[in-house]
Amino acid sequence: MPLVEASLLEVLACPACHAPLREDAEATELACTSADCGLAYPVRDDIPVLLVDEARRPA
């Protein structure tokens, strides 16, 4: 089951760099597709938390 609806995912963008986001269902996150940024935003109770302060930094 998708974390967010496909139509919503099409319009969401990374708040830090404005690149598109992709689902990481295994980690329940929306991950930035930019190689330079790579932040991962949590999805809590079916709501994406698109706050840079809440994002997980790439390893």
Side-chain angles (χ1 to χ4, degrees):
M1 178 172 205
L3 295 174
V4 295
E5 291 184 30
S7 59
L8 178 60
L9 191 58
E10 287 179 17
V11 297
L12 290 178
C14 176
C17 71
H18 309 290
L21 297 171
R22 66 170 175 79
E23 279 193 4
D24 184 349
E26 197 173 290
T28 61
E29 296 175 329
L30 296 179
C32 179
T33 58
S34 169
D36 295 331
C37 179
L39 292 175
Y41 300 91
V43 177
R44 296 185 189 127
D45 298 322
D46 298 328
I47 300 170
V49 181
L50 298 178
L51 300 171
V52 175
D53 291 342
E54 295 284 325
R56 181 176 56 80
R57 303 270 175 207

